[in-house]
């Protein structure tokens, strides 16, 4: 059970003053969450946009990941880490996986079945409509999969050239 401020050890109920203080705190936090982006103009940097209005956050990150994955040739595979290394933004393999989970709704289509983990395992297969679809799509392109692992992975692995100037995140000093 959660202890409230000023709650006595044997009491199961908080005193009225402590309970009201906690409710007020939660309500003010909710109000901040509601108004934090709602009252800002769309071009506000806190909304993931630059002064010119161009989005720089999740939208452009997904776009960059999808652009790289679309470059993977048929019959070849790449890893989440390979895509992260080829991205201009400073991203990790895990972030690429997060983006790939949303690839099913991307236009134009993204060949998400060509992205596997660094060992060649079909680790993203659970995101497909059926458990075997990822393997079936790879087989149609001539990629051999055995026990959920791409065979001859090192030979058919494709990687984009590594990004030269990865964008550094801006860190603001807090007072």
């Amino acid at each position: 059970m959660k202890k409230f401020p000023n709650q006595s050890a044997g009491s199961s109920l908080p005193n009225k003053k402590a309970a009201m203080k906690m409710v007020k705190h939660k309500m003010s936090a909710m109000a901040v969450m509601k108004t934090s982006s709602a009252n800002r103009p769309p071009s506000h940097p806190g909304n993931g946009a630059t002064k010119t209005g161009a989005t720089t956050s999740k939208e452009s990150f997904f776009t960059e990941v999808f652009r790289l994955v679309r470059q993977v040739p048929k019959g070849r595979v790449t890893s989440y880490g390979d895509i992260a290394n080829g991205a201009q933004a400073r991203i990790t393999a895990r972030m690429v996986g997060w983006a790939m989970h949303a690839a099913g709704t991307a236009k134009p289509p993204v060949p998400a079945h060509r992205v596997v983990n660094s060992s060649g395992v079909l680790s993203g297969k659970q995101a497909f409509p059926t458990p075997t679809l990822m393997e079936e799509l790879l087989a149609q392109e001539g990629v051999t999969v055995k026990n959920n692992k791409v065979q001859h992975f090192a030979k058919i692995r494709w990687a984009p050239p590594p990004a030269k100037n990865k964008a550094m995140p801006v860190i603001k000093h807090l007072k």
Side-chain angles (χ1 to χ4, degrees):
M1 176 179 210
K2 184 171 180 163
K3 294 286 184 187
F4 291 89
N6 303 326
Q7 182 178 357
S8 63
S11 172
S12 62
L13 297 174
N15 65 36
K16 188 174 180 179
K17 187 176 180 180
M20 289 304 292
K21 189 174 184 179
M22 187 155 235
V23 168
K24 282 182 184 178
H25 174 72
K26 283 185 177 181
M27 289 179 71
S28 66
M30 287 171 55
V32 167
M33 290 187 322
K34 277 185 177 178
T35 60
S36 63
S37 63
N39 293 336
R40 293 187 203 139
S43 62
H44 190 280
N47 290 342
T50 63
K51 288 182 182 178
T52 61
T55 33
T56 58
S57 62
K58 184 173 89 171
E59 202 173 298
S60 63
F61 152 66
F62 277 30
T63 303
E64 184 171 9
V65 169
F66 296 162
R67 178 185 61 79
L68 289 169
V69 174
R70 286 184 188 110
Q71 294 176 12
V72 181
K74 287 184 180 180
R76 305 283 301 269
V77 293
T78 190
S79 73
Y80 299 101
D82 291 336
I83 297 298
N85 289 335
Q88 289 297 317
R90 292 180 55 103
I91 60 175
T92 64
R94 194 171 292 236
M95 293 167 71
V96 171
W98 181 54
M100 293 309 299
H101 192 72
T105 59
K107 300 283 189 249
V110 176
H113 62 283
R114 297 181 191 148
V115 184
V116 297
N117 76 9
S118 62
S119 301
V121 175
L122 310 185
S123 57
K125 71 178 190 171
Q126 75 282 355
F128 287 80
T130 64
T132 59
L133 183 59
M134 184 175 185
E135 184 175 343
E136 291 167 6
L137 292 169
L138 288 169
Q140 287 175 5
E141 296 181 359
V143 176
T144 307
V145 177
K146 187 175 182 182
N147 296 326
N148 290 322
K149 189 171 183 178
V150 173
Q151 300 299 293
H152 313 290
F153 178 58
K155 185 178 177 183
I156 64 169
R157 188 176 190 171
W158 178 89
K164 291 184 172 97
N165 298 323
K166 289 209 176 215
M168 293 297 293
V170 176
I171 300 172
K172 295 183 179 182
H173 297 283
L174 300 175
K175 291 183 180 181

